[in-house]
Amino acid sequence: MAFSPLVDELVESLRCLPGVGQKTAQRMAFHLLERGRSGGVRLSEALSTAMSDVRRCDSCQNFADTPVCGICENPARHTGTLCVVESPSDLLAIEQAGDYRGSYFVLMGHLSPIDGVGPEEIGIERLLQRIEAESVKELILATNPTVEGEATAHYIADRLDGRNVLITRLAHGIPVGGELGYVDGFTLTHAFRGRKPLAD
Amino acid sequence: MAFSPLVDELVESLRCLPGVGQKTAQRMAFHLLERGRSGGVRLSEALSTAMSDVRRCDSCQNFADTPVCGICENPARHTGTLCVVESPSDLLAIEQAGDYRGSYFVLMGHLSPIDGVGPEEIGIERLLQRIEAESVKELILATNPTVEGEATAHYIADRLDGRNVLITRLAHGIPVGGELGYVDGFTLTHAFRGRKPLAD
């Protein structure tokens, strides 16, 4: 851009956001400069604090401000049930559903040897230690229903072989409110195989 | 979000960006925290500097770091030709095309009485003073071909009635590289009416 090195630098920096290319970054920069300077200042401060102060919870690996996060510290959560998720957004979705009251373990990824992500990178040892220390009764493997997510779930299950822990996986089936005509074949097959008596 | 006020604040602040809702803001925040902390710090600094130091050029109203922007200060630009655009991104598109060597005036909007944007808000008086002071020979009205853009162009033309300034508007026609079958009727009509002898 010919007119301002500061604006150039702002546009370039905005491109570090996922899904933001040159044109979107320009639109964002101009929007902030024209109509959102207070929002821009707020974002600058939030970014600066978050980038330096947000750490990982010592217990569940999720993002936290404190050594141990709010969920892990909450005495009302059942420690006997542990739910393993891939990412903080998965945890958030489960929390927003509001039904689950156990604790979590966030892998921050999945096993992917081709990208150099092995058991150590996603904290499997820490998970096993925690299962031991908290005498977890049920481990819910809520990794994504993708090839990598399934592989990660199976790897964790294998590592727990012989221990007295019930290992479960989330049910597959028709989404609530979904229409049968739009549901794919794999999901329908799962839904048929997992059918239940009406009284249940 | 239950787990971190700092992450919450980051997500909330990211929503000041245009086109960014709750889910996108979450994805951006998690991406920065997981894989882009250095980018996040850079963005924070760029935002902070830009929000406090970027001002409007005294001559063309475009964003600038200095009282007068690089284009207005450039002695190689012809001052006899002035191109009026609605926004910095329009100016940028023209600069990137690379053919125009005159100077600019950026309205930072268009006339829109319903939103309270009158001639004063888009700097029409300053434009008229500049045309006078720089004895502009040709004024190119490159506002957008929308209802508001056309109205703004006509308003400026009316205000210059009687002065010895050639007022021009960008040509409408088929985009270079476009296919006739995909061009809309209005554009085709303009293209037919504006047809030129082959030698031209």
Side-chain angles (χ1 to χ4, degrees):
Chain A
M1 230 178 293
F3 48 87
S4 164
L6 293 183
V7 179
D8 286 3
E9 168 63 15
L10 178 57
V11 171
E12 269 311 302
S13 318
L14 281 165
R15 295 188 57 184
C16 74
L17 297 172
V20 174
Q22 181 70 22
K23 282 275 173 193
T24 312
Q26 260 173 36
R27 193 163 56 89
M28 286 175 165
F30 292 149
H31 173 90
L32 289 176
L33 288 165
E34 275 172 55
R35 287 185 292 274
R37 295 225 181 191
S38 61
V41 171
R42 181 182 169 193
L43 176 56
S44 162
E45 285 160 7
L47 269 170
S48 158
T49 330
M51 292 303 121
S52 65
D53 294 354
V54 171
R55 39 169 293 154
R56 307 277 288 272
C57 168
D58 288 340
S59 169
C60 72
Q61 300 200 126
N62 195 8
F63 295 126
D65 305 352
T66 44
V68 176
C69 76
I71 295 179
C72 290
E73 267 187 339
N74 187 345
R77 314 285 304 209
H78 318 151
T79 49
T81 318
L82 190 60
C83 177
V84 176
V85 293
E86 288 186 28
S87 74
S89 47
D90 299 339
L91 183 154
L92 205 60
I94 299 174
E95 280 298 289
Q96 279 166 353
D99 190 52
Y100 178 69
R101 299 300 300 156
S103 44
Y104 292 95
F105 190 86
V106 184
L107 299 173
M108 293 280 183
H110 46 235
L111 288 180
S112 176
I114 211 165
D115 303 313
V117 181
E120 199 157 313
E121 281 71 26
I122 57 174
I124 299 295
E125 283 310 320
R126 192 185 294 190
L127 172 63
L128 297 178
Q129 281 163 20
R130 198 172 150 196
I131 290 169
E132 196 71 45
E134 293 179 16
S135 23
V136 169
K137 304 267 180 309
E138 180 179 357
L139 186 73
I140 304 169
L141 293 172
T143 53
N144 289 325
T146 57
V147 175
E148 293 88 352
E150 296 286 352
T152 309
H154 281 110
Y155 178 83
I156 296 173
D158 283 350
R159 290 291 299 269
L160 286 167
D161 208 23
R163 297 206 208 184
N164 190 20
V165 179
L166 174 66
I167 299 176
T168 54
R169 194 100 176 83
L170 296 186
H172 289 300
I174 304 158
V176 179
E179 284 184 49
L180 277 191
Y182 293 101
V183 174
D184 67 289
F186 285 111
T187 307
L188 267 182
T189 306
H190 273 288
F192 265 90
R193 290 193 185 160
R195 66 190 182 277
K196 295 180 178 182
L198 193 58
D200 210 21
Chain B
M1 229 178 294
F3 48 87
S4 164
L6 292 183
V7 179
D8 286 5
E9 170 61 16
L10 178 57
V11 171
E12 270 309 302
S13 318
L14 281 164
R15 295 188 57 186
C16 75
L17 297 172
V20 174
Q22 181 71 21
K23 282 273 172 193
T24 311
Q26 260 173 35
R27 193 162 56 87
M28 287 175 165
F30 292 149
H31 172 89
L32 290 176
L33 288 166
E34 275 173 56
R35 286 185 292 274
R37 296 225 181 190
S38 61
V41 170
R42 181 181 170 195
L43 175 56
S44 163
E45 284 161 8
L47 269 170
S48 158
T49 330
M51 292 303 122
S52 65
D53 294 354
V54 171
R55 40 168 293 154
R56 306 276 288 272
C57 169
D58 288 341
S59 169
C60 73
Q61 300 201 129
N62 195 8
F63 294 128
D65 306 352
T66 43
V68 176
C69 76
I71 296 179
C72 290
E73 267 187 340
N74 187 345
R77 314 286 304 209
H78 319 149
T79 49
T81 318
L82 190 61
C83 177
V84 176
V85 292
E86 287 185 28
S87 74
S89 48
D90 298 340
L91 184 154
L92 205 60
I94 299 174
E95 280 298 289
Q96 279 166 353
D99 190 51
Y100 178 69
R101 300 300 300 158
S103 44
Y104 292 94
F105 191 86
V106 184
L107 299 173
M108 294 280 183
H110 45 235
L111 288 179
S112 177
I114 211 165
D115 303 312
V117 180
E120 199 158 313
E121 280 72 24
I122 58 175
I124 298 295
E125 284 309 320
R126 191 186 294 191
L127 171 63
L128 298 177
Q129 281 163 19
R130 198 173 149 195
I131 291 169
E132 196 71 46
E134 294 178 14
S135 22
V136 169
K137 304 268 181 307
E138 180 178 357
L139 186 74
I140 304 169
L141 294 173
T143 52
N144 289 325
T146 57
V147 174
E148 294 89 350
E150 296 287 351
T152 310
H154 281 110
Y155 178 84
I156 297 173
D158 282 350
R159 291 289 301 268
L160 286 167
D161 208 23
R163 297 206 206 185
N164 190 21
V165 179
L166 174 66
I167 299 176
T168 54
R169 195 100 176 82
L170 296 186
H172 289 300
I174 304 158
V176 178
E179 283 185 49
L180 277 191
Y182 293 101
V183 175
D184 66 290
F186 285 111
T187 307
L188 266 183
T189 306
H190 274 288
F192 265 91
R193 291 193 185 161
R195 66 188 181 279
K196 294 181 177 180
L198 193 57
D200 211 19

